[in-house]
Amino acid sequence: MDTWLRTRMHELCDLHGVINLASWDREVYLPAKAAPARAQQLSTLQALQHERLVDPRLGEALARASEAGPSSQALTPDERAMVRVLTHDRERAVRLPARLVTALAEAQGAGIQAWREAREAKRFAHFQPALEALLALRREQADAQGHDGERYNALLEGFEPGMRVQRLTPVLTALRDALIPMVAAIAEVRRPTPAFLDGRAYDTAQQWRFTMRLLEAVGFDLEAGRQDVSIHPFTNSVNAHDVRLTTRLDAVHPMSALFGTLHEAGHGLYEQGFAPELLRTPLASVPSMGLHESQSRLWENLVGRGRAFWVHHFPALKEAFPRELGDVDLDGFHAGINHVAPSLIRVEADEVTYNLHIALRYELELALLRDELPVSELPSAWNERMRRYLGVTPPDDTQGVLQDIHWAWGELGYFPTYALGNLYAASLHAAASRALPELDAHLARGDTSSLRGWLRAQVHSHGFRLPAEERVQAVTGAGLTDRDFLVYLRAKYGALYGVTL
Amino acid sequence: MDTWLRTRMHELCDLHGVINLASWDREVYLPAKAAPARAQQLSTLQALQHERLVDPRLGEALARASEAGPSSQALTPDERAMVRVLTHDRERAVRLPARLVTALAEAQGAGIQAWREAREAKRFAHFQPALEALLALRREQADAQGHDGERYNALLEGFEPGMRVQRLTPVLTALRDALIPMVAAIAEVRRPTPAFLDGRAYDTAQQWRFTMRLLEAVGFDLEAGRQDVSIHPFTNSVNAHDVRLTTRLDAVHPMSALFGTLHEAGHGLYEQGFAPELLRTPLASVPSMGLHESQSRLWENLVGRGRAFWVHHFPALKEAFPRELGDVDLDGFHAGINHVAPSLIRVEADEVTYNLHIALRYELELALLRDELPVSELPSAWNERMRRYLGVTPPDDTQGVLQDIHWAWGELGYFPTYALGNLYAASLHAAASRALPELDAHLARGDTSSLRGWLRAQVHSHGFRLPAEERVQAVTGAGLTDRDFLVYLRAKYGALYGVTL
């Protein structure tokens, strides 16, 4: 690959990393009065990044490089993949008119504002006009970026390259239909909230120390990353040697720190795991948000809410919180952290109910974008589905249709990546368990290295060499499927709740 | 001013701020393994900044803007100053050939490396070839950027715009000649190191809390800035609402945290104090490193080592360190923090001896750049002057000519700004004391607002509207002078040491 093109790739990666640094800093260390100036700085960096990406000289260099064709000796297979990924990003950027970018940014500002006011007033109607404006712009965006008649595909492509509604809908619909009776069966057992999670206060400094222990336990490299505290936990990668996680400390919700850290560590291990030869290139990235989420969910749920993991860690947790957990044993703890209950709020949902929250949002987004659902009817459509899928009814819009910030930004197409994460996680975990028959024994003695090594070799190190589903297919032998996830849920929750699911 | 030019100014300011953020982060929160990647990111940002600065379109826009002439109505006086400052920066950048920039960066890398090895071996000779190479490049740089026959002026201009060797040398020479007998007279008193600073350990968590108290005391806005810990204290401004200070915590040198914080807070107050209408323009900057240093030295020394300040704060300090300061009273503390002793290391020097360290370095830099001193003779020239000015002899080069990192980078022209800072600080403090006759009474009751308000109105708010010396002239009625500084030293140390100076 010619030096000019490689330099431009380095430059774009460096800019991306700096944007992530400035965004991370905004959430953890920014002085209160600096928010407007930081927004300006981020906007300047993004404009520079956009300018470099759409630069016609880059387009020509990429065209020259790909002209050689897939069998050419001029480029290595990795270089061909770099050209492919960057060309794809560039074309999406080029197709977005500057006027639309500005209009979207303005509408997003207004959307956030209206969404906040609507939440304050607990009235969706206050947000409706802003959402209508955002939807109109998203339709324009989809048409500008191109699609096959299904606008949603153009938006989905921004988060889940290669995925299509035609492929996704049957899987999510089948998943939904399998989950509804499962949730109902578990709800019938009527198990109360575990006492150790019902109002007891856990020292936040101890929580912090335990999350640091968990990071070490899963093998997150603290010399190539760090953890800080923020209101909403997130992971920002400045580069593979500088991956920044945050966790949330809340005295009466100690599990949000523990499982939040495991979740972000899953993202972090992925970002730390790219092969050295991919660094500072478009391949040093995760192929999709769904595959990214598969790694966070794998460590948070498949590992972190598993019994084997706590065989090793529960004694230390009890030692850290002797009063709070004095009356809890390993099995009680394992049952407690896997408590299932249909609830109103997605981010607090358990493993079993979670994907129903996603199915609901996905169906509504699709209907909105297809003009099959007027925005004014969104709250009633939401509430009707909540009743049908989960058997609960939001008392007001703030606990219903207004709960997530995604639509406040007009961000459509993101929600399904959460479900894809759960499904991919289960399939990858099943494949890992086949490859590592002793995995639970390793975890039970505190050894996560076999699983981490397997994930690194099979998934992390490859970066964006393949699109997400192709990567999963290469590892598991199958692409997107709800089979492994349902097998996992049935076995685990059937045992925990003593019911056949 | 046309929108395009203003947008470019905003962009350059934003880039500058982001570079400062990434540099700050490198010193305080960067994971160990991320150093090479951060260096690449900073280099990418600097290259972008350089590219935007030397962009011919910017040159044309600036030329058009300044063509209107100083009396044109097309630009406000502030806008004319913006155009002048940015044109000056741009021309210096344009004159530096890319080849020289690269060669300098490489020679600096090699210089740092050789300097570290020379320090390890305590032998200047190991560093000599690298310094010779750096000097050759600095001569080239000076010739490229232009000068009046005195190459040093071209380098000085990078730190102290408008200052010239012809103006500086007489002042620093007179200062040196006044200080030598003063230092000798004080040394004759032979007062020992105060006991409370002779090996007692001060809890570093308490030190930290006290430095936060000091920041509040001087009115550093912690909603528009923050303090963290680093090995070497520094101030980096991300913008006027986001000014980042660091301090150093060392159990047996507690004064380095206290006075380090006051020093950086002085820099920080300047950066926080620009008038709102100057933000995101070239005027939202300090006109020179010397004037910047005047604000740090004013708060560190003229205020912070003054008796009045500690009338208010010493009781709290004693409360924070009851055992360590149990046997110390206010006058003993005041004498202790103003202990004078000729010493080998500049950064540990007191107010009286400090400028002799600078005079020595300035004279040697000038001689090197004029080809009047071969690099091989630098250590002996250093040691000879140390004896003559301070009466001490370095036992080895590490405690002598190799002590500062500046020459390891080939950075010539910076040292005199420290002396300028001390002189400007004394002149500004004298002017403030004339304007605020009750200043010591304010400080003695913990009120720094009158001084801070005066400095903001007279100095900080103006940013780079005027070059440094013109700003000082406008405030004090006189430009650069050693008079106020010597009057201050004679009064203060004459009283403290009971001698006529």
Side-chain angles (χ1 to χ4, degrees), chain B residues 245-294:
Chain B
L245 320 179
T246 71
T247 196
R248 193 167 76 99
L249 302 175
D250 178 338
V252 297
H253 297 105
M255 296 306 135
S256 80
L258 269 52
F259 292 102
T261 287
L262 286 171
H263 181 99
E264 302 308 330
H267 285 306
L269 286 168
Y270 202 161
E271 296 279 358
Q272 287 184 336
F274 302 136
E277 65 269 25
L278 307 187
L279 301 187
R280 283 185 109 201
T281 82
L283 296 193
S285 64
V286 171
S288 83
M289 296 314 296
L291 201 57
H292 220 318
E293 189 76 1
S294 80

Coordinates of all heavy atoms in Angstrom, one line a residue, chain B residues 245-294:
Chain B
L245 N -4.3 22.3 36.3 CA -3.1 22.5 37.1 C -2.7 21.1 37.6 O -3.6 20.3 37.8 CB -3.3 23.4 38.3 CG -4.2 24.6 38.1 CD1 -4.3 25.3 39.5 CD2 -3.6 25.5 37.1
T246 N -1.4 21.0 37.9 CA -1.0 19.8 38.7 C -0.1 20.2 39.8 O 0.5 21.3 39.8 CB -0.3 18.7 37.8 OG1 1.0 19.3 37.5 CG2 -1.0 18.4 36.5
T247 N 0.0 19.4 40.8 CA 0.9 19.7 41.9 C 1.6 18.4 42.2 O 1.3 17.3 41.7 CB 0.2 20.2 43.1 OG1 1.1 20.8 44.0 CG2 -0.7 19.1 43.9
R248 N 2.6 18.5 43.0 CA 3.5 17.3 43.3 C 3.4 17.1 44.8 O 3.5 18.0 45.6 CB 4.9 17.7 43.0 CG 5.9 16.6 42.9 CD 7.2 17.1 42.2 NE 8.0 17.9 43.1 CZ 9.0 17.4 43.8 NH1 9.4 16.2 43.7 NH2 9.7 18.2 44.6
L249 N 3.2 15.8 45.2 CA 3.1 15.5 46.7 C 4.4 14.7 47.1 O 4.6 13.7 46.5 CB 1.9 14.7 46.9 CG 0.5 15.4 46.5 CD1 -0.6 14.4 46.7 CD2 0.3 16.7 47.3
D250 N 5.1 15.3 48.0 CA 6.3 14.6 48.5 C 6.4 14.8 50.0 O 6.4 15.9 50.5 CB 7.5 15.3 47.8 CG 8.9 14.8 48.2 OD1 9.0 14.2 49.3 OD2 9.8 15.0 47.5
A251 N 6.4 13.7 50.7 CA 6.2 13.7 52.1 C 7.3 14.6 52.8 O 6.9 15.4 53.7 CB 6.3 12.3 52.7
V252 N 8.5 14.5 52.4 CA 9.6 15.3 53.1 C 9.8 16.7 52.5 O 10.6 17.5 53.0 CB 10.9 14.6 53.3 CG1 10.7 13.3 54.2 CG2 11.5 14.2 52.0
H253 N 9.1 17.0 51.4 CA 9.2 18.3 50.8 C 7.8 18.9 50.7 O 7.4 19.2 49.6 CB 9.9 18.3 49.5 CG 11.4 17.9 49.6 ND1 11.8 16.6 49.2 CD2 12.5 18.5 50.1 CE1 13.1 16.5 49.4 NE2 13.5 17.6 49.9
P254 N 7.1 19.2 51.8 CA 5.7 19.6 51.7 C 5.6 21.0 51.0 O 4.5 21.2 50.5 CB 5.3 19.7 53.2 CG 6.6 19.9 53.9 CD 7.6 19.1 53.2
M255 N 6.6 21.8 51.1 CA 6.5 23.1 50.5 C 6.4 23.0 49.0 O 5.9 24.0 48.3 CB 7.7 24.0 50.9 CG 7.7 24.3 52.4 SD 6.1 24.9 53.1 CE 5.9 23.9 54.5
S256 N 6.9 21.9 48.4 CA 6.8 21.9 46.9 C 5.3 21.7 46.5 O 5.0 22.2 45.5 CB 7.7 20.7 46.4 OG 7.1 19.5 46.5
A257 N 4.5 21.1 47.3 CA 3.1 21.0 47.0 C 2.5 22.4 47.2 O 1.7 22.9 46.4 CB 2.4 20.0 47.9
L258 N 2.7 23.0 48.4 CA 2.1 24.3 48.7 C 2.5 25.4 47.7 O 1.6 26.0 47.1 CB 2.5 24.7 50.1 CG 1.6 24.3 51.3 CD1 1.3 22.8 51.2 CD2 2.1 24.7 52.6
F259 N 3.7 25.6 47.5 CA 4.2 26.7 46.6 C 4.0 26.3 45.2 O 3.9 27.2 44.3 CB 5.6 27.2 47.0 CG 5.5 27.8 48.4 CD1 6.0 27.2 49.5 CD2 4.9 29.1 48.5 CE1 5.9 27.8 50.8 CE2 4.9 29.7 49.8 CZ 5.3 29.0 50.9
G260 N 4.1 25.0 44.9 CA 3.9 24.5 43.5 C 2.4 24.9 43.1 O 2.1 25.4 42.1
T261 N 1.5 24.6 44.0 CA 0.1 24.9 43.8 C -0.1 26.4 43.6 O -0.8 26.8 42.7 CB -0.8 24.3 44.9 OG1 -0.9 22.9 44.8 CG2 -2.2 24.9 44.8
L262 N 0.5 27.2 44.5 CA 0.3 28.6 44.3 C 0.9 29.1 43.0 O 0.3 30.0 42.3 CB 1.0 29.4 45.5 CG 0.2 29.3 46.8 CD1 1.1 29.8 48.0 CD2 -1.1 30.0 46.7
H263 N 2.0 28.5 42.6 CA 2.7 28.9 41.4 C 1.8 28.6 40.2 O 1.5 29.5 39.4 CB 4.0 28.1 41.3 CG 4.8 28.4 40.0 ND1 5.9 29.3 40.0 CD2 4.7 28.0 38.7 CE1 6.4 29.4 38.8 NE2 5.7 28.6 38.0
E264 N 1.3 27.4 40.1 CA 0.4 27.0 39.0 C -0.9 27.7 39.0 O -1.4 28.1 38.0 CB 0.2 25.4 39.0 CG 1.5 24.6 38.9 CD 2.4 25.0 37.8 OE1 2.0 25.4 36.7 OE2 3.7 24.8 38.0
A265 N -1.4 28.0 40.2 CA -2.6 28.8 40.3 C -2.4 30.1 39.7 O -3.4 30.7 39.1 CB -3.1 28.9 41.8
G266 N -1.2 30.7 39.9 CA -1.0 32.0 39.3 C -1.1 31.9 37.7 O -1.7 32.8 37.1
H267 N -0.5 30.9 37.2 CA -0.6 30.6 35.7 C -2.1 30.5 35.4 O -2.6 31.0 34.4 CB 0.1 29.4 35.3 CG 1.6 29.5 35.2 ND1 2.2 30.5 34.5 CD2 2.6 28.8 35.8 CE1 3.5 30.3 34.6 NE2 3.8 29.3 35.3
G268 N -2.8 29.7 36.2 CA -4.2 29.3 36.0 C -5.1 30.5 36.0 O -6.0 30.6 35.2
L269 N -4.9 31.4 37.0 CA -5.8 32.6 37.1 C -5.6 33.4 35.8 O -6.6 34.0 35.3 CB -5.4 33.4 38.3 CG -5.8 32.9 39.6 CD1 -5.1 33.6 40.8 CD2 -7.3 33.0 39.8
Y270 N -4.4 33.5 35.3 CA -4.2 34.2 34.0 C -5.0 33.6 32.9 O -5.8 34.3 32.2 CB -2.7 34.2 33.7 CG -2.2 35.3 32.7 CD1 -0.8 35.6 32.7 CD2 -3.1 36.1 31.9 CE1 -0.3 36.6 31.9 CE2 -2.6 37.0 31.1 CZ -1.2 37.3 31.1 OH -0.7 38.3 30.2
E271 N -4.9 32.3 32.8 CA -5.6 31.6 31.7 C -7.1 31.6 31.8 O -7.9 31.5 30.8 CB -5.1 30.1 31.6 CG -3.7 29.9 31.2 CD -3.4 30.0 29.7 OE1 -4.3 30.2 29.0 OE2 -2.2 30.0 29.4
Q272 N -7.6 31.7 33.1 CA -9.1 31.8 33.3 C -9.6 33.2 33.1 O -10.8 33.4 33.1 CB -9.4 31.3 34.7 CG -9.3 29.8 34.9 CD -9.7 29.4 36.3 OE1 -9.7 30.2 37.3 NE2 -10.1 28.2 36.5
G273 N -8.7 34.2 33.0 CA -9.1 35.6 33.1 C -9.3 36.3 31.8 O -9.6 37.5 31.9
F274 N -9.2 35.7 30.7 CA -9.3 36.4 29.4 C -10.8 36.9 29.3 O -11.7 36.2 29.7 CB -9.0 35.5 28.2 CG -7.6 34.9 28.2 CD1 -7.4 33.6 27.9 CD2 -6.5 35.7 28.6 CE1 -6.1 33.0 27.9 CE2 -5.2 35.2 28.6 CZ -5.1 33.8 28.3
A275 N -10.9 38.1 28.7 CA -12.2 38.7 28.5 C -13.0 37.8 27.6 O -12.4 37.2 26.6 CB -12.1 40.1 27.8
P276 N -14.3 37.6 27.8 CA -15.1 36.6 27.0 C -15.0 36.9 25.5 O -15.0 36.0 24.8 CB -16.5 36.9 27.6 CG -16.4 37.5 28.9 CD -15.1 38.2 28.9
E277 N -14.9 38.2 25.1 CA -14.9 38.5 23.7 C -13.6 38.0 23.0 O -13.6 38.0 21.8 CB -15.2 40.0 23.5 CG -14.1 40.9 24.0 CD -14.3 41.4 25.4 OE1 -15.0 40.7 26.2 OE2 -13.8 42.5 25.8
L278 N -12.6 37.6 23.8 CA -11.4 37.2 23.2 C -11.3 35.7 23.0 O -10.4 35.2 22.3 CB -10.2 37.6 24.0 CG -10.1 39.1 24.4 CD1 -8.7 39.3 25.1 CD2 -10.2 39.9 23.2
L279 N -12.3 34.9 23.6 CA -12.2 33.5 23.6 C -12.3 32.9 22.2 O -13.0 33.4 21.3 CB -13.3 32.8 24.5 CG -13.2 33.3 25.9 CD1 -14.2 32.5 26.8 CD2 -11.8 33.2 26.5
R280 N -11.6 31.8 21.9 CA -11.5 31.2 20.6 C -10.9 32.1 19.5 O -11.2 31.9 18.4 CB -12.9 30.7 20.1 CG -13.3 29.4 20.8 CD -14.6 28.9 20.2 NE -14.5 27.7 19.4 CZ -15.4 27.3 18.5 NH1 -16.4 28.1 18.2 NH2 -15.2 26.2 17.8
T281 N -10.1 33.0 20.0 CA -9.3 33.9 19.0 C -7.9 33.9 19.4 O -7.5 33.5 20.6 CB -9.8 35.3 19.0 OG1 -9.2 36.1 20.1 CG2 -11.3 35.4 19.1
P282 N -7.0 34.4 18.6 CA -5.5 34.4 18.9 C -5.3 35.3 20.1 O -4.2 35.3 20.7 CB -4.9 34.9 17.7 CG -5.8 34.7 16.6 CD -7.2 34.8 17.2
L283 N -6.2 36.2 20.5 CA -6.0 37.0 21.7 C -6.3 36.3 23.0 O -5.9 36.9 24.0 CB -6.9 38.3 21.6 CG -6.6 39.2 20.4 CD1 -7.3 40.6 20.6 CD2 -5.1 39.5 20.2
A284 N -6.9 35.2 23.0 CA -7.1 34.4 24.2 C -5.8 33.6 24.5 O -5.8 32.4 24.5 CB -8.3 33.5 24.0
S285 N -4.7 34.4 24.7 CA -3.5 33.8 25.0 C -2.6 34.8 25.7 O -2.9 36.0 25.7 CB -2.8 33.3 23.7 OG -2.5 34.4 22.9
V286 N -1.6 34.3 26.3 CA -0.7 35.1 27.1 C 0.4 35.6 26.2 O 1.0 34.9 25.4 CB -0.1 34.3 28.3 CG1 1.0 35.0 29.0 CG2 -1.3 33.9 29.2
P287 N 0.7 36.9 26.3 CA 1.7 37.5 25.3 C 3.1 37.0 25.3 O 3.8 37.1 24.3 CB 1.7 39.0 25.6 CG 0.6 39.2 26.6 CD 0.2 37.9 27.2
S288 N 3.5 36.4 26.5 CA 4.9 35.9 26.5 C 5.0 34.9 27.7 O 4.2 35.0 28.7 CB 5.9 37.0 26.7 OG 6.0 37.4 28.0
M289 N 6.0 34.1 27.6 CA 6.2 33.2 28.7 C 6.6 33.9 30.0 O 6.3 33.6 31.1 CB 7.3 32.2 28.4 CG 6.9 31.2 27.2 SD 5.3 30.5 27.4 CE 5.5 29.5 28.9
G290 N 7.4 35.0 29.8 CA 7.8 35.9 30.9 C 6.6 36.5 31.6 O 6.6 36.5 32.9
L291 N 5.6 37.0 30.9 CA 4.5 37.6 31.6 C 3.6 36.5 32.2 O 3.1 36.7 33.3 CB 3.6 38.4 30.5 CG 2.7 39.4 31.2 CD1 3.5 40.4 32.1 CD2 1.9 40.1 30.2
H292 N 3.6 35.3 31.6 CA 2.9 34.2 32.2 C 3.6 33.9 33.6 O 2.9 33.8 34.6 CB 3.0 32.9 31.3 CG 1.7 32.1 31.3 ND1 1.0 31.9 32.4 CD2 1.0 31.5 30.3 CE1 -0.1 31.1 32.1 NE2 -0.1 30.9 30.8
E293 N 4.9 33.8 33.5 CA 5.6 33.4 34.7 C 5.5 34.5 35.8 O 5.6 34.3 37.0 CB 7.1 33.2 34.4 CG 8.0 32.7 35.5 CD 7.8 31.2 35.7 OE1 7.0 30.5 35.0 OE2 8.5 30.7 36.6
S294 N 5.3 35.8 35.3 CA 5.1 36.8 36.3 C 3.9 36.6 37.2 O 3.9 36.9 38.4 CB 5.0 38.2 35.7 OG 3.6 38.4 35.2

